[in-house]
Amino acid sequence: MQDREKGVPMSLETRFRIFSMTKPVTSVAVLMLYEEGKLQLDDPVSRWLPAFAQSKVLVGVEPGGKPRTEPARQPITVRQLLTHTAGLGYGPGYDQGSPIAAEWSAFNLWGPQSAEDKMRALAALPLYFEPGAEWRYSYATDVLGHLVAVVSGMPFADFLQQRLFGPLGMTRTGFFVPPTEAARVATAYRRNGAGKLEPVGGPLATPPTAPPPFASGGAGLISTAGDYLRFAQMLADRGRFGGRQYLAPATIELMTSDHASAGAMAKAYGEKWRGLGFGLGVSPIIDHRHVPQANRNGDYTWPGVLDTNWMVSPSTGIVAVVLAQMARGADGQANRTYQDMHNQVYQAVTDLER
């Protein structure tokens, strides 16, 4: 149901907040600029965003609990942002035991400040580690979205519209929905303490009906199943869709290969995820024996926090998208649709040979 209380069923016109499924889209935009020679992956980000030239790294704690920092020994690069190895942090709920977690939790990506002001504030926060030293999920892709705007010389939303959404036929994807389409946005739900579904209030209850102050490259897009399927199919077809080449096959291979250090996903998410890797904005399966759902080596994806997911399986040709709008329940547990879809897809496959 798109809205259970009103009795509105899901349809192919239903809009979903896809949150972190925005990240692969932003990564493709960055790689388009890379192919055009407008940036290189190992370029320092401070070349375009000077605030990142002054990055500082957490090195300890002063008496009284104040974090002790030192200037970073090397600059943050575009590649490190794409691979989440830049040392940046994330919002509430991430690593609350760290002495700098509160600073990162207090950072407001969704406030009224300009994109430039947000980037300056973010760049002033201490890094968790030296750039390139570890893997840590973060606001890195939001920085990349702003980087695309600066390097291309056009607003990030316009770049995506002109270079991706328009040509791909993703006519119902963007950072807001027109007021006339707001009723098509799926209601977000959660399970309460009694295990019963209830609508989620706050920002999730009211989709943006005007361009937001900041087009979040990490979590800002609203889309449909059909639109995102077009994007995923383009990746599956080695950067080509509808007779147009968006990225070269070699770039798709680079994007979907593992760039993370051994055991990075297990350290971040637990031992059961040891078989995951991380590429340039997507997570490839590097050992299907060590993930909690059906996969084949080389499959790749990256889900969204409201229980949305997609997958591409190069070895079988499978491309799949599943969209729900379920926040974490009162018990703090994430929903499992994003895992179950892999099992259900592979249960339907009787021939794995292409």
Side-chain angles (χ1 to χ4, degrees):
M1 301 298 290
Q2 176 183 305
D3 188 316
R4 195 179 61 153
E5 287 69 30
K6 295 180 180 178
V8 180
M10 288 289 189
S11 77
L12 292 177
E13 296 296 323
T14 301
R15 271 59 161 182
F16 297 82
R17 304 164 185 84
I18 62 172
F19 279 94
S20 287
M21 281 171 56
T22 306
K23 290 179 171 69
V25 177
T26 301
S27 299
V28 165
V30 173
L31 292 172
M32 285 178 158
L33 297 175
Y34 156 73
E35 285 195 344
E36 294 167 3
K38 294 181 179 178
L39 56 80
Q40 296 298 318
L41 298 185
D42 295 316
D43 284 343
V45 176
S46 57
R47 177 173 299 178
W48 298 278
L49 308 181
F52 286 92
Q54 308 300 322
S55 296
K56 294 185 177 181
V57 179
L58 174 69
V59 295
V61 181
E62 303 284 2
K66 181 180 179 181
R68 180 163 57 88
T69 63
E70 294 180 356
R73 294 193 294 271
Q74 60 179 338
I76 294 172
T77 67
V78 176
R79 186 190 304 269
Q80 290 162 354
L81 291 176
L82 284 164
T83 57
H84 289 279
T85 58
L88 303 179
Y90 224 176
Y94 287 82
D95 192 20
Q96 294 305 299
S98 170
I100 61 174
E103 294 181 66
W104 281 100
S105 294
F107 175 72
N108 184 8
L109 185 71
W110 309 103
Q113 301 84 4
S114 68
E116 292 76 11
D117 287 343
K118 283 186 172 69
M119 290 300 104
R120 281 191 288 269
L122 190 152
L125 296 172
L127 303 178
Y128 279 87
F129 47 78
E130 282 289 336
E134 299 180 33
W135 188 92
R136 184 183 185 84
Y137 199 43
S138 69
Y139 283 119
T141 319
D142 293 290
V143 178
L144 288 173
H146 186 58
L147 178 69
V148 169
V150 173
V151 173
S152 69
M154 68 175 72
F156 181 46
D158 292 352
F159 183 93
L160 292 182
Q161 180 60 38
Q162 293 181 27
R163 299 293 301 276
L164 275 174
F165 301 158
L168 279 171
M170 297 172 65
T171 59
R172 296 162 295 181
T173 300
F175 292 100
F176 69 100
V177 292
T180 55
E181 299 293 317
R184 296 187 184 274
V185 178
T187 301
Y189 290 92
R190 68 191 288 270
R191 294 195 182 277
N192 60 25
K196 302 296 185 181
L197 285 179
E198 63 181 16
V200 178
L204 290 180
T206 308
T209 54
F214 179 70
S216 168
L221 286 176
I222 299 171
S223 189
T224 67
D227 272 17
Y228 207 88
L229 187 63
R230 287 172 172 265
F231 172 76
Q233 188 69 58
M234 179 271 291
L235 297 180
D237 288 343
R238 306 179 73 199
R240 190 172 183 82
F241 186 88
R244 178 169 178 160
Q245 197 78 40
Y246 293 83
L247 288 176
T251 304
I252 296 293
E253 183 177 353
L254 177 69
M255 177 183 179
T256 60
S257 298
D258 181 34
H259 294 252
S261 59
M265 297 299 105
K267 181 179 179 181
Y269 298 120
E271 189 63 27
K272 70 178 183 178
W273 294 105
R274 179 166 292 278
L276 284 185
F278 200 84
L280 306 182
V282 297
S283 179
I285 301 296
I286 56 176
D287 188 343
H288 69 279
R289 300 169 302 172
H290 297 289
V291 290
Q293 73 276 315
N295 276 113
R296 303 196 87 198
N297 289 345
D299 292 4
Y300 56 87
T301 182
W302 196 252
V305 70
L306 283 189
D307 212 16
T308 62
N309 200 9
W310 62 287
M311 63 176 284
V312 168
S313 175
S315 68
T316 65
I318 293 171
V319 183
V321 175
V322 62
L323 300 178
Q325 293 287 263
M326 286 286 293
R328 287 180 178 269
D331 58 2
Q333 294 299 308
N335 297 285
R336 288 175 49 111
T337 303
Y338 73 101
Q339 293 184 37
D340 293 341
M341 67 93 73
H342 293 269
N343 295 338
Q344 292 167 357
V345 164
Y346 275 111
Q347 286 167 14
V349 176
T350 59
D351 184 0
L352 289 178
E353 300 303 324
R354 295 190 67 180

